[in-house]
Amino acid sequence: MVWKLKAQCRAYRFVGHAEAVTSVQYSPDGQLLASASRDRTVRLWIPCIHGESSVLKGHTASVRSVSFSQDGHFLVSASNDKSLKIWSVRHPCLLFSLFQHTHWVCCAKFSPDGRLIASCSEDKSVKIWDTRNKTCIESLLDYEGFANFVDFNPSGTCIASAGSNHVVRLWDIRMNKLLQHYKVHRAGVNCVSFHPSGNYLITASDDGTLKILDVLEGRLIYTLHGHKGPVLSVAFSKKGEKFASGGADAQVLLWKTNFDSWDYKEVLKHHIRRTNLDDPPHLLDIYPRSPHLHGEKIQSVEVNPTFVSNTQALDPPVIEISSSSSFSTPDYVSSEDAQNPPDSVLATSSKRKSENESESAMPNVGKQTGISPSLGNTLEHIVEQLDVLTLTVSILEQRLTLTEDKLKECLENQQKMLLEERQEA
């Protein structure tokens, strides 16, 4: 189903797959829509009223996941045939396959720069693949359960995995290290989505809730209720001002956040420690283990999800669209352009560097204000104590949330026991 979110909400149903559709994703430019199905095929659709599509065949079992590269030139699919397949979008065809998983592959995602692929499988492993050498360069093992979903953060330095054992894990792929471990759900986690700033992560679970995590402070900050059953998927919009969630209750909820309500300059002024993200990892940071100097830091914007509202539209009119003959996708850049960054990217990098250099000159202005060293030391000590208090409060908030969940569970069990006693009496 493709939804047109305007004043008069409309939905278009594209018909072509022979069995259930398991995954869909728009291309970065919005010109194509990819879908995966249990009929062992992947389809590329032109999202228009004509419903034209091209079929990609190659898997020998149900296809569970499909994802575009950031430049839109490639597509990766994950299947129950224990393989990943990388497809060309420009001329729809299979480029190569990756085999090392020993069980069904649940999900696969490209890194933001397209050099790496992260995949997760029911063999309880998360693997990192080099797309150029077509080899597995890291394998992250989890012996407590398997991951249902995996995705890169916006900078490409970390990946988040959603586990069947109720756990969300955040890994640093440069150090092959587990950074954070969240057990805030009471059932399996089906999907995660990073906010475009990289500071926040939203999770969807079989316990019927969505949870927003602050990955900078490592804490749970919000629990959302709305679905009447398991929540199967969630995704932020491109700018992060909205996110959508889909559940087993046959509902798609569109939520509006206040992530975009903060003034950018005010955020940078009051939360300077949140303004830097790590740069994308260099392959030398992953293998072999040799030092590599990254470029300048890039800026991000802090968000503060203190209020989240949801809207649910009435049932829209549905237009049936049958799949017509296959199409030829538009002519993209050559493979040489895909490997070498365009001039626009280099120009953006140099612009960021000049902006950061101008910002680095700011502290020199502060040195001319005449603040004595003793007063500066005192202020630094106060700031440190405030950081400790903030951390303590965040821990207490997380424990309070867990306590509330436990109390709710106890009350539900008590009600069930009372009902059973009344029925027996």
Side-chain angles (χ1 to χ4, degrees):
M1 298 285 287
V2 177
W3 302 78
K4 192 174 184 180
L5 299 178
K6 288 190 176 181
Q8 294 181 348
C9 187
R10 304 181 68 184
Y12 298 90
R13 180 183 286 119
F14 293 91
V15 180
H17 285 293
E19 296 187 35
V21 177
T22 56
S23 175
V24 293
Q25 190 187 39
Y26 265 103
S27 61
D29 60 5
Q31 299 300 311
L32 293 174
L33 180 69
S35 62
S37 172
R38 291 181 182 174
D39 63 7
R40 307 178 184 180
T41 67
V42 173
R43 281 183 178 266
L44 288 173
W45 304 82
I46 295 180
C48 65
I49 197 170
H50 302 294
E52 298 178 348
S53 69
S54 179
V55 184
L56 304 177
K57 297 181 179 180
H59 285 291
T60 58
S62 173
V63 187
R64 301 181 63 169
S65 168
V66 66
S67 179
F68 281 97
S69 61
Q70 194 67 31
D71 57 12
H73 297 165
F74 305 101
L75 193 70
V76 60
S77 58
S79 170
N80 283 353
D81 61 11
K82 307 177 187 178
S83 74
L84 286 76
K85 294 188 183 296
I86 288 76
W87 312 82
S88 170
V89 176
R90 179 182 177 184
H91 303 293
C93 64
L94 176 64
L95 296 178
F96 58 91
S97 301
L98 300 173
F99 299 95
Q100 272 198 26
H101 283 294
T102 58
H103 211 299
W104 296 345
V105 186
C106 303
C107 180
K109 296 284 184 178
F110 276 102
S111 63
D113 58 13
R115 297 176 302 169
L116 304 175
I117 292 175
S119 64
C120 60
S121 167
E122 293 191 15
D123 62 9
K124 299 184 179 181
S125 72
V126 174
K127 294 185 183 295
I128 310 297
W129 308 81
D130 182 354
T131 58
R132 294 182 180 178
N133 295 336
K134 306 174 186 177
T135 57
C136 177
I137 56 178
E138 290 288 0
S139 186
L140 311 172
L141 300 178
D142 183 1
Y143 297 102
E144 297 179 5
F146 64 87
N148 294 313
F149 190 90
V150 67
D151 199 6
F152 285 89
N153 69 338
S155 66
T157 58
C158 301
I159 58 172
S161 61
S164 61
N165 58 340
H166 315 177
V167 175
V168 175
R169 287 183 167 83
L170 198 65
W171 308 82
D172 188 322
I173 62 175
R174 297 165 299 178
M175 300 183 293
N176 190 19
K177 180 181 179 182
L178 178 63
L179 295 179
Q180 294 176 356
H181 174 280
Y182 299 96
K183 195 167 185 178
V184 293
H185 286 287
R186 292 179 294 173
V189 187
N190 297 314
C191 186
V192 298
S193 179
F194 278 99
H195 186 266
S197 68
N199 298 342
Y200 295 85
L201 183 72
I202 189 167
T203 63
S205 170
D206 282 337
D207 63 11
T209 66
L210 299 159
K211 293 184 184 286
I212 300 177
L213 307 171
D214 186 331
V215 298
L216 293 180
E217 296 185 0
R219 66 187 182 100
L220 170 68
I221 57 176
Y222 215 90
T223 300
L224 307 177
H225 300 269
H227 287 281
K228 300 176 182 178
V231 188
L232 304 179
S233 62
V234 65
F236 275 108
S237 61
K238 189 173 183 180
K239 294 183 180 179
E241 74 280 3
K242 296 178 182 179
F243 61 91
S245 60
D249 55 1
Q251 292 189 99
V252 176
L253 301 183
L254 184 64
W255 306 76
K256 184 178 180 180
T257 72
N258 67 340
F259 289 156
D260 57 343
S261 65
W262 289 87
D263 180 72
Y264 180 72
K265 294 182 180 179
E266 289 297 321
V267 170
L268 296 184
K269 184 186 299 182
H270 292 93
H271 300 275
I272 192 66
R273 68 189 181 90
R274 283 176 172 252
T275 61
N276 291 325
L277 285 175
D278 290 333
D279 291 320
H282 192 273
L283 289 180
L284 294 180
D285 290 338
I286 303 174
Y287 76 105
R289 305 290 183 176
S290 60
H292 174 76
L293 299 178
H294 292 292
E296 299 293 333
K297 301 291 183 182
I298 58 177
Q299 291 185 336
S300 63
V301 182
E302 182 198 9
V303 294
N304 183 20
T306 55
F307 174 78
V308 180
S309 61
N310 70 77
T311 58
Q312 183 176 354
L314 298 176
D315 292 339
V318 178
I319 300 176
E320 290 280 355
I321 300 175
S322 298
S323 175
S324 61
S325 59
S326 61
F327 66 91
S328 297
T329 56
D331 193 14
Y332 291 94
V333 296
S334 64
S335 59
E336 295 180 357
D337 293 334
Q339 295 180 1
N340 299 321
D343 295 337
S344 59
V345 176
L346 298 177
T348 304
S349 177
S350 61
K351 181 179 179 181
R352 287 176 177 169
K353 183 175 181 180
S354 61
E355 289 176 354
N356 290 334
E357 289 176 353
S358 63
E359 290 178 0
S360 64
M362 295 284 289
N364 295 329
V365 178
K367 293 181 180 178
Q368 299 176 1
T369 57
I371 298 177
S372 63
S374 59
L375 179 58
N377 293 333
T378 303
L379 292 175
E380 290 180 1
H381 179 70
I382 293 174
V383 171
E384 292 176 356
Q385 294 300 317
L386 288 175
D387 287 339
V388 173
L389 289 174
T390 302
L391 180 61
T392 304
V393 170
S394 66
I395 294 174
L396 291 174
E397 288 178 350
Q398 185 175 3
R399 291 181 177 178
L400 179 60
T401 302
L402 295 175
T403 303
E404 290 175 349
D405 291 340
K406 290 290 185 181
L407 180 59
K408 182 179 178 181
E409 185 178 355
C410 290
L411 291 174
E412 291 176 353
N413 292 334
Q414 186 177 6
Q415 291 178 354
K416 291 180 180 179
M417 293 175 63
L418 289 174
L419 289 175
E420 291 177 354
E421 291 178 356
R422 290 177 182 177
Q423 290 176 357
E424 292 177 355

